[in-house]
Every structure is written in structure tokens, then in C-alpha cells.
Amino acid sequence: MPTITIKLTLNGEQREGNAQPAQTALSFLRDVMGQKSVKEGCGIGECGACTVIVNGKAVNTCLMPAGQLDGATVITTEGLGTEENPHPLQSAFVKHNAIQCGYCSPGFMMNAKALLDEKPDPTREEVSKALAGNICRCTGYQQIVDAVMDAAETIREGAGS
């Protein structure tokens, strides 16, 4: 079966890979590009575990054909920060115990980053609404909203983005 070549900017780096014509962006990012933070939860766009930022917008990659990534700028959790220099969202999720099993955390962080990039001073209600497409089965949502509010404050104070 012929493949398609996808060229994209992934976490700030120019990358290229081959995808099958019917492959999802989720499968391409995980299996071809090695982005293991992109998780498959439901496969139908309901849980948010596969969320990444594509051209500045949070998207469910389980619903997106891989070919739509060609020419795109993509950010996954791997592109947020490092162990030595974590992104404020990563630090806040740890600080507020917003991670238990961690399976849903990358999707929550990507939706939160997209929100904070667009609206650096959100209300709790705006954070809750932005995260409404993500499902967590163990942490509960209060700690996650607290973490996003804390990260927003840290970012506004200039300690990261």
C-alpha cells in the first residue's frame, strides 16, 4: 500500500514521516513520530486523552486523518518542558496532585495550554469549560482546575509559557 509523506513542525523541530492513507493523526504521532504522551482512550473524540495542539488549536487526534498534519505546527506534552525545566502546567499538575494514574494528564495539559495561550487570565468557569472534553477517572476535576489556575498565574508573572 502506498504511503504519504508528512512534513511538520513537531515540538519546534522540522520532522518528516510516512503515514498510511487511512492512518489517524494519533497513530502517526505515537507510532511514527514517537510521541508517547498522545494516548488513545476512546477513539471517538469523547475523552480528550489524545489532545495535542495543531496550529494553535487543541484537537482530538483520534478523529483527525494523519494527512492533515502535513505542513502543520504540532505541540505535544513532550514539547512543553523538560525534567530540568518543566512548563508551569507540568509543575502545577504535580503541585496540586492533579496527576494520579497520569493517562489523561497530557490531554488535559494540551487543552489547558491552548486556553492559556489564547486567554492568559481565565476564570475558573472558563478553565472548566475548556477542559470539559477531557475525562479523568481517578483524580477528580477540582485539582486539575486548581493546577491550571496556578499555572496561569505563574505564566502571567513571567515564569514560563
Side-chain angles (χ1 to χ4, degrees), residues 95-110:
K95 175 182 172 185
H96 290 276
N97 297 311
I99 299 173
Q100 283 187 17
C101 81
Y103 199 84
C104 66
S105 301
F108 272 105
M109 285 186 208
M110 291 291 91

Side-chain angles (χ1 to χ4, degrees), residues 21-97:
Q23 191 169 11
T24 64
L26 164 65
S27 172
F28 177 77
L29 289 169
R30 278 187 65 82
D31 302 335
V32 179
M33 296 285 107
Q35 302 300 292
K36 299 304 182 188
S37 71
V38 186
K39 309 288 189 200
E40 181 166 7
C42 66
I44 58 172
E46 294 291 326
C47 74
C50 66
T51 304
V52 302
I53 298 174
V54 178
N55 297 328
K57 300 290 181 196
V59 299
N60 290 332
T61 57
C62 69
L63 299 176
M64 177 184 232
Q68 289 183 356
L69 295 176
D70 191 39
T73 298
V74 179
I75 302 170
T76 68
T77 306
E78 285 91 344
L80 281 183
T82 63
E83 197 170 323
E84 300 79 28
N85 188 25
H87 186 279
L89 279 166
Q90 293 168 315
S91 297
F93 267 62
V94 171
K95 175 182 172 185
H96 290 276
N97 297 311

